[in-house]
Amino acid sequence: SPWKPAYGVYFDLTTNKQFIYFVDLNNLNGYEVANGELLNTISITKNNYISNINKCTNTACTPPAPISSPLSITFKRPNSSAIFTGATITGSEYIQITVKSPGGATALIKLYPSGRVQVN
């Protein structure tokens, strides 16, 4: 069957009020600006922002392991599993993205290697 590109999201804490939706045109499992892979820059509104991106090894995410480098999460068809570039995630580990509001409310987005996405 003909090759179909993977799609993904890219996070960089230096621009913590946005993330990037991209197409992985060269099949390298990550976002590359120079390769024209940008599909859309998604702005986080209402002064909310990404405060942390952590690698977690247990349900409570204690202690969290901060990920300071840019992170790409790619999904290749027909598989539903997630491919992480910028962090090594195995087994029951997962990525937790913390989004905060100026009023102090917090939302947690958990991304698992199986492709499961959970928002608390």
Side-chain angles (χ1 to χ4, degrees):
S1 64
W3 173 81
K4 295 180 182 170
Y7 292 86
V9 289
Y10 171 83
F11 300 92
D12 186 344
L13 283 177
T14 62
T15 55
N16 66 351
K17 290 191 171 206
Q18 68 181 27
F19 60 94
I20 292 173
Y21 176 52
F22 70 93
V23 58
D24 186 16
L25 294 173
N26 58 8
N27 206 24
L28 292 177
N29 301 327
Y31 172 62
E32 296 172 8
V33 177
N35 200 29
E37 296 182 333
L38 173 71
L39 290 176
N40 199 3
T41 299
I42 312 296
S43 296
I44 300 171
T45 60
K46 300 182 181 177
N47 289 323
N48 297 325
Y49 62 97
I50 298 170
S51 65
N52 297 305
I53 300 176
N54 294 308
K55 175 181 174 178
C56 301
T57 57
N58 57 43
T59 304
C61 196
T62 52
I67 296 172
S68 57
S69 62
L71 174 69
S72 291
I73 304 164
T74 310
F75 297 89
K76 288 187 179 184
R77 296 178 276 178
N79 301 323
S80 62
S81 59
I83 300 166
F84 299 91
T85 304
T88 303
I89 307 297
T90 60
S92 62
E93 298 174 332
Y94 62 95
I95 293 292
Q96 179 172 280
I97 299 170
T98 305
V99 180
K100 289 191 174 181
S101 76
T106 300
L108 302 175
I109 303 166
K110 298 177 182 180
L111 303 138
Y112 296 85
S114 66
R116 176 179 155 203
V117 177
Q118 177 180 332
V119 180
N120 296 28

